[in-house]
Amino acid sequence: MITRSEVEAAAARIGDRIRHTPVMRRDGVWLKLEQTQHTGSFKARGAFNRILTAAEEGRLPGSGVIAASGGNAGLAVAYAARALDVPAEVYVPMSAPMVKVDRLRDLGADVVQIGDRYAEAYEAASKRAADTGALLCHAYDQPEVCAGQGTLGLELLEQTDREVNTILIAVGGGGLMAGVAAAVEGQAKVVGVEPDTVPTLNRALEAGFPVDVEVSGVAADSLGASRLGEIAFDVALRTGVRSVLVPDTAVVAARQRLWDDHRLVVEHGTAAAYAALLTGAYEPAEGERVAIVLCGANTDPSDLVTPTR
């Protein structure tokens, strides 16, 4: 379980090692442009907090850090490790986009591609960490990671003069959702949005505990966790996070719309949050002040169509 106090401590610890990403307001909705964060996603926040906390507590071994990731978490760990002069090894599933794999290597990480799903990469990374003593950096289900991601929520409240009272966030394993929900608890509500092809939060709330789900669809590379994290589930229950599902077709359309209307390039997983508004899957009440977190941009933009006029 994490609370606002852990998120505030993370913000102080991380400081200016991360970018304080901008917001823009369009059509009465704030867009938090976290896709402009180091390595192209919010995950640098949690990676820095995990590694810095271990260093402070004397738990950072000479063997460095190990992560398992569909791409974005690994990129963040590799970036933070390089910035802190720590060795990094990253395990990714064979389905990880090559743009992410190549970037991992550019950041100096040793990359191991294994299995078809994140869960298989994580199993291999966990065994490697146990064998070498390296610090395991989970993609979403560690307190330091969730608290680090939550610094985005503190930043968003400050940037909007605390006017925001609803935040729409795409959910995979739930680390970002958990951190932000803890950060804004009592000040704003969080709505978790998922493609209906990767409904980890939705199924967990239905069942009353995290359960395995089938992973498929256009956003599987970034929202491809097969089970919601325990921390995310606990925070979601405590803070009343609502779940919304959108179809893959709406995700694709929302990603294109962000490009057409705002010239913003994002991943399909990121576009899910925007799709909830465009489709009416989430309809704000009168007077509701909504922000959408655009959380990642590690994508191949070649399939975005620029209309001729």
Side-chain angles (χ1 to χ4, degrees):
M1 190 68 76
I2 60 168
T3 65
R4 183 183 176 91
S5 63
E6 282 80 28
V7 179
E8 290 173 338
R13 183 177 296 113
I14 296 167
D16 290 332
R17 296 180 191 273
I18 53 93
R19 290 178 181 147
H20 301 278
T21 56
V23 296
M24 58 186 280
R25 195 170 188 185
R26 293 292 184 272
D27 304 321
V29 174
W30 281 278
L31 301 177
K32 175 64 167 163
L33 307 185
E34 188 65 11
Q35 83 277 15
T36 64
Q37 185 57 257
H38 294 303
T39 72
S41 87
F42 67 93
K43 288 181 178 285
R45 298 173 182 268
F48 269 114
N49 195 48
R50 171 69 171 160
I51 298 172
L52 287 169
T53 299
E56 284 179 9
E57 297 175 354
R59 296 185 292 106
L60 186 59
S63 50
V65 298
I66 287 180
S69 168
N72 284 342
L75 289 170
V77 169
Y79 177 86
R82 186 179 71 172
L84 298 171
D85 197 24
V86 174
E89 190 171 357
V90 180
Y91 284 67
V92 301
M94 298 299 294
S95 58
M98 283 309 299
V99 65
K100 296 180 181 179
V101 173
D102 291 343
R103 180 62 176 146
L104 281 169
R105 293 190 173 117
D106 290 343
L107 288 167
D110 291 330
V111 182
V112 179
Q113 293 179 271
I114 187 169
D116 296 322
R117 299 185 306 158
Y118 165 76
E120 294 169 282
Y122 179 71
E123 181 179 358
S126 298
K127 183 179 185 306
R128 176 69 171 167
D131 291 344
T132 64
L135 180 75
L136 183 64
C137 297
H138 197 283
Y140 54 85
D141 202 22
Q142 288 171 329
E144 305 96 325
V145 170
C146 293
Q149 319 302 28
T151 60
L152 182 154
L154 299 180
E155 202 171 283
L156 177 58
L157 288 181
E158 182 178 348
Q159 289 171 316
T160 59
D161 295 324
R162 303 188 181 278
E163 289 186 23
V164 166
N165 54 24
T166 300
I167 304 172
L168 271 59
I169 298 175
V171 176
L176 176 61
M177 177 270 289
V180 172
V184 304
E185 188 173 6
Q187 300 180 63
K189 67 179 181 180
V190 169
V191 177
V193 185
E194 303 169 287
D196 57 17
T197 50
V198 200
T200 57
L201 171 63
N202 187 272
R203 296 295 182 266
L205 293 177
E206 274 187 358
F209 50 88
V211 295
D212 288 334
V213 302
E214 292 296 322
V215 174
S216 63
V218 297
D221 65 316
S222 58
L223 303 181
S226 58
R227 176 189 287 250
L228 189 75
E230 296 286 348
I231 296 171
F233 181 72
D234 289 344
V235 174
L237 284 187
R238 188 185 82 219
T239 62
V241 172
R242 176 180 167 185
S243 168
V244 169
L245 298 178
V246 292
D248 273 4
T249 52
V251 172
V252 172
R255 180 170 174 265
Q256 181 67 46
R257 181 79 169 269
L258 283 164
W259 171 246
D260 290 345
D261 293 355
H262 309 302
R263 285 300 184 262
L264 296 174
V265 177
V266 301
E267 300 175 18
H268 284 103
T270 293
Y274 194 51
L277 275 189
L278 294 184
T279 61
Y282 184 80
E283 296 185 3
E286 185 175 351
E288 194 169 353
R289 300 180 296 279
V290 175
I292 299 173
V293 177
L294 301 182
C295 58
N298 288 310
T299 186
D300 181 353
S302 63
D303 58 346
L304 290 168
V305 178
T306 301
T308 56
R309 299 183 186 276

